[in-house]
Amino acid sequence: MKHMKHQKEQFEKKEQPRSVRLSNADYNDFQETAKKEGKTFSAFLRDCARHRNNSLEPGLVVHMQNVMNTAVELILRYEPQNTKAVEKLEKEVGS
Amino acid sequence: MAIIKVKKDFSGGLKYLKNVCGYIYDQNYAVGLGGNGVNPYHPDICYEQMLAVKKYYAKTTTNPLIHVIISYSIKETPDIQTAVYYTRQIAEYFRKEYQTLYCTHNADHEHSWFHGHILVNSVSFMDGKMFSTGSEEMKRLEEWVESVTQSDAHVEYWSKEKDKKYHEKKARSQSNR
């Protein structure tokens, strides 16, 4: 799929340069990981900082949501009379 | 022939995303609700889930979503079940990278009896990249729709002005009835 460039608002533009001191080991480690993930060094560090409290990546959350959606669809198809289970799952899905 | 309308709204922002999520759930018309990576049963939760992906990649500004509307031709889509099946299959096009919410509306239109709505989160959940609606990508979407519906498909870019004219025409025809 082709992608479009994100049009940044003024507050999103990267206008604050900072330098960071790293050991050679850390530098090599981060550099290698950034390369594997297809990111620049700066993008990699920004992502680490931004998501330091969030271990759930969106791809995993999407997958979990789809599993729940399938469960609800199966109940609706094979046990449509089981409305309590359906309502419970519908509310829990994604909340 | 299936007509694919592609709507983007840069001015509405996240409010547009919320409004469209609510519109999809119109109980009078919506059939075959489904989603990829979102809760298809509650519009508020669906909105929050799409927003969460945007926040994760720090891309909450500019165009929040791509709204794809597919008008199925009367000849080739004789019943609602076929339209529901088509909408679901067409939504698969976005499955690998983008959250989607879709449904089929059972509503009377000029050239079709049924039309499918697919809301696509403009930010990919895989890598945060933005969905492109350029000619190459839309050509690929046309080909996908053609393979699903086994009929010709054509993409139209839908602007706010066109939308306004369409709704004015609809209001006039409804008041004339």
Side-chain angles (χ1 to χ4, degrees), chain A residues 2 4 12 51 65-66 93, chain B residues 36-37 39 49 56 130 137:
Chain A
K2 254 200 156 179
M4 199 163 68
E12 289 177 311
H51 305 305
Q65 178 68 57
N66 286 340
V93 164
Chain B
N36 175 42
N39 181 331
Q49 288 173 316
Y56 186 92
M130 306 288 288
E137 193 57 49

Side-chain angles (χ1 to χ4, degrees), chain B residues 53-54 57 59-60 63-64 97-99 120-131:
Chain B
V53 169
K54 291 177 184 300
Y57 292 109
K59 287 183 179 172
T60 54
N63 184 38
E97 293 189 65
Y98 297 92
Q99 291 167 304
V120 184
N121 188 350
S122 55
V123 179
S124 164
F125 60 79
M126 289 300 293
D127 52 18
K129 293 197 170 136
M130 306 288 288
F131 184 78

